[in-house]
Amino acid sequence: MRIASFNINGIKARLPALLDWLSESKPDVVLLQEIKSIDENFPREPIEDLGYHVETHGQKSFNGVAILSRLPIEDVTRGLPGDPDDEQARWIEATVIGDEGAVRVCGLYLPNGNPVPGPKFDYKLAWMDRLFDRAQALFDAEEPALMAGDYNIIPAPDDAARPKDWWGDALYRPESLAAWRRVVNIGFTEAFRARDAAPMNYTFWDYQAGAWNKNDGIRIDHFLLTPAAADRLVDCQIDRHVRGREKPSDHVPIWVELAL
DNA sequence: ATGCCCGATTATATCGGA
């Protein structure tokens, strides 16, 4: 099955582009971030018409995640455990039933964290502590599972066109990288680097300053796989061409193919 | 050093994004 992640930067503004991409790419499952919509206003019908179940976890104006699936899904849960006072919609999970087995999929929109220092950066690091706990539990379950989405983390210098200019930003600084590595080092496989070591592959290009035309991007959308899921990894690709279309998101889709 | 661009909001400027 093919599972994609796509930060769409607003479902209302991105619906035509999303429908075009769904129609041609035909992923089995899509994890969406930044729907920027309450659940009641999410345009379910045109997506359901393409054969997808729609599960949303939205909020007004900002954030918001969703799962689209052409395969049966079960046990949908919303919100990252660990802080009942957290009102930001950044996490959704479901179990997808494939022909050859099930996989637990977690869609996430990790906080940006800028400016540093400040409460937004503190929130990012606290959120990543909670992510670690959920990741550890998924790992301990010894089942196929993945956590995918907009991590707002630049893992390594090759993951930015201008790494020196990014250094110190909340996406690329020691505390952020330590928190990222702590999660990965539980024993997760980062799917893109496991399949393609080539540099200059990015998933985000700023709308400003001609970033797309200069390929001045960063790779911040990631798939982390448990060992049982990594054993089934067939491919991982970035749909970079989507960035060059009419009215694009500033992110592009990234997807994995799993033998499930 | 700042803004550039873009989306959402009971908006016509401000905030958040990365």
Side-chain angles (χ1 to χ4, degrees):
Chain A
M1 70 174 76
R2 182 170 297 190
I3 303 173
S5 168
F6 190 3
N7 180 324
I8 54 173
N9 189 21
I11 185 60
K12 184 179 176 185
R14 210 67 57 219
L15 186 61
L18 176 64
L19 293 175
D20 286 348
W21 171 75
L22 285 174
S23 297
E24 69 188 24
S25 180
K26 297 182 171 58
D28 296 298
V29 182
V30 185
L31 306 170
L32 296 177
Q33 301 92 41
E34 285 207 270
I35 65 174
K36 296 186 175 180
S37 168
I38 59 175
D39 297 335
E40 292 76 10
N41 291 347
F42 191 89
R44 308 173 61 91
E45 287 180 13
I47 295 171
E48 289 170 344
D49 288 346
L50 294 178
Y52 289 91
H53 305 282
V54 177
E55 298 285 348
T56 61
H57 179 41
Q59 68 178 93
K60 191 176 180 179
S61 302
F62 306 117
N63 307 321
V65 289
I67 298 178
L68 317 178
S69 180
R70 303 200 300 172
L71 295 167
I73 58 175
E74 300 176 347
D75 301 325
V76 180
T77 62
R78 292 164 173 82
L80 180 62
D83 182 2
D85 294 329
D86 185 0
E87 295 183 351
Q88 299 193 33
R90 296 177 175 276
W91 183 272
I92 187 169
E93 296 187 22
T95 299
V96 179
I97 313 301
D99 295 336
E100 299 176 44
V103 57
R104 187 71 175 168
V105 299
C106 307
L108 67 98
Y109 176 46
L110 205 150
N112 173 306
N114 283 304
V116 182
K120 291 186 176 180
F121 190 60
D122 295 342
Y123 175 67
K124 178 174 193 160
L125 294 180
W127 202 94
M128 294 185 80
D129 277 343
R130 292 159 57 201
L131 173 64
F132 175 86
D133 290 341
R134 184 70 192 108
Q136 184 71 61
L138 286 167
F139 185 86
D140 291 344
E142 298 185 347
E143 299 284 348
L146 60 83
M147 307 184 296
D150 178 358
Y151 278 78
N152 272 314
I153 291 285
I154 300 168
D158 275 356
D159 298 317
R162 296 178 293 105
K164 289 191 173 74
D165 291 343
W166 281 99
W167 185 247
D169 188 277
L171 280 62
Y172 188 46
R173 58 182 294 114
E175 305 93 323
S176 306
L177 292 182
W180 159 259
R181 289 173 185 146
R182 183 166 172 254
V183 172
V184 174
N185 290 342
I186 292 171
F188 284 81
T189 294
E190 200 261 89
F192 189 77
R193 279 288 172 251
R195 293 289 308 164
D196 183 356
M200 292 186 289
N201 280 290
Y202 310 123
T203 63
F204 169 90
W205 296 261
D206 200 294
Y207 288 119
Q208 303 181 67
W212 165 246
N213 290 328
K214 294 185 286 191
N215 196 25
D216 179 9
I218 51 179
R219 196 176 69 91
I220 57 175
D221 299 85
H222 309 297
F223 275 80
L224 294 186
L225 312 180
T226 63
D231 286 346
R232 305 288 188 138
L233 178 62
V234 176
D235 200 0
C236 178
Q237 299 285 337
I238 297 167
D239 283 348
R240 83 188 304 279
H241 64 280
V242 173
R243 185 65 176 79
R245 294 182 170 176
E246 283 290 305
K247 209 169 165 56
S249 172
D250 40 9
H251 295 250
V252 295
I254 176 173
W255 52 264
V256 294
E257 179 75 32
L258 301 179
L260 281 173

